[in-house]
Amino acid sequence: MGQIERRFEIREIKKQDVLNAAESKFFKKGFAATSIDEIASEAEFSKKTLYTYFESKNQIYFEIMLRGYKKLLKLIQAQYQESHPLNSKQQFTAFWAAFEDFSVNCKGYLSAIIFFEVSEDQIQEGYKLVEYQQLKKELIDNLVELLSMENSSVNIKSKLLWRFILGAAQSMLHNSEESKLILQNSYQLLSSMVDAELS
């Protein structure tokens, strides 16, 4: 490995250290309550060093949101491989099982996704936008496939379905006492909508 590659590898490791530290703080305290100073301290970097890797706290949170999308997509693919859905109803059930697992066990990532999806103005223009769009497209494609219809409104319906799922997840995060009930009712409502769409 050459010197340039080694330098790049070290830089990537340090970026991951910052992200791991930020993730730990954000997931415990929340995005708004966490300062750049706290992230730098947790990562054992100076604030100045941290800014050599990321321009802002939003950019760090954006990276964590990307991690969340990747984790969710892996869970969906693993669920499909495990359950081998044969039709759209079974595919939706598998999709929902993965999403439920994610929403219960990865609340910090879910919050990051909701933050950026609900407040699209938070997405920093140009910064890893292509990667974000690709990950989101992959998720929407799962829903498009699920609603496999031959008309132009399928993409719109898939995006609306994803917005509904995020809205249900947001309700669940804000009402932990009824989170299980919110997830169950959301599944029943969406499942009946998918059934109606396919019949």
Side-chain angles (χ1 to χ4, degrees):
M1 179 186 299
Q3 196 172 10
I4 294 171
E5 290 89 354
R6 193 172 293 115
R7 231 182 276 154
F8 180 77
E9 188 178 301
I10 291 168
R11 181 175 173 76
E12 282 307 303
I13 289 168
K14 289 183 177 181
K15 274 182 83 170
Q16 293 308 310
D17 289 344
V18 171
L19 289 173
N20 293 337
E23 194 173 280
S24 170
K25 288 293 182 185
F26 288 149
F27 290 2
K28 283 179 192 157
K29 295 180 67 178
F31 175 72
T34 302
S35 71
I36 285 287
D37 288 319
E38 289 172 306
I39 296 167
S41 174
E42 180 81 11
E44 299 178 357
F45 290 132
S46 69
K47 193 171 168 180
K48 183 180 176 184
T49 302
L50 188 143
Y51 279 121
T52 64
Y53 300 109
F54 299 100
E55 291 178 14
S56 67
K57 188 168 84 165
N58 258 20
Q59 206 174 68
I60 295 168
Y61 205 54
F62 186 82
E63 288 274 355
I64 291 168
M65 181 267 296
L66 293 178
R67 280 182 172 185
Y69 258 118
K70 289 172 188 172
K71 188 164 186 66
L72 175 56
L73 286 163
K74 279 183 185 170
L75 286 171
I76 292 167
Q77 291 311 313
Q79 189 65 41
Y80 286 171
Q81 288 172 358
E82 183 181 310
S83 63
H84 304 291
L86 300 173
N87 57 42
S88 293
K89 174 71 174 168
Q90 290 174 356
Q91 190 174 344
F92 177 71
T93 301
F95 178 95
W96 190 262
F99 183 77
E100 189 170 0
D101 178 16
F102 182 76
S103 63
V104 169
N105 297 311
C106 303
K107 290 182 181 175
Y109 288 128
L110 181 59
S111 292
I113 288 171
I114 290 170
F115 178 75
F116 281 98
E117 290 298 334
V118 173
S119 331
E120 286 181 344
D121 58 318
Q122 298 295 336
I123 295 170
Q124 299 200 351
E125 198 139 331
Y127 181 76
K128 292 205 172 183
L129 204 53
V130 172
E131 184 177 0
Y132 161 72
Q133 289 167 339
Q134 183 58 39
L135 290 168
K136 188 170 177 181
K137 181 184 181 311
E138 195 175 327
L139 189 126
I140 297 294
D141 284 350
N142 277 286
L143 296 172
V144 166
E145 188 180 318
L146 187 138
L147 296 172
S148 54
M149 300 176 306
E150 295 295 322
N151 67 50
S152 60
S153 67
V154 70
N155 198 36
I156 293 167
K157 288 179 182 178
S158 298
K159 287 178 181 176
L160 287 172
L161 184 57
W162 178 233
R163 286 288 185 160
F164 182 93
I165 291 169
L166 286 177
Q170 192 171 21
S171 297
M172 183 209 70
L173 289 174
H174 292 299
N175 191 348
S176 58
E177 291 158 16
E178 295 185 349
S179 62
K180 200 168 196 141
L181 194 59
I182 290 167
L183 283 171
Q184 287 170 348
N185 284 317
S186 298
Y187 171 74
Q188 289 170 352
L189 180 60
L190 287 170
S191 184
S192 64
M193 288 167 61
V194 169
D195 281 346
E197 197 62 53
L198 297 170
S199 58

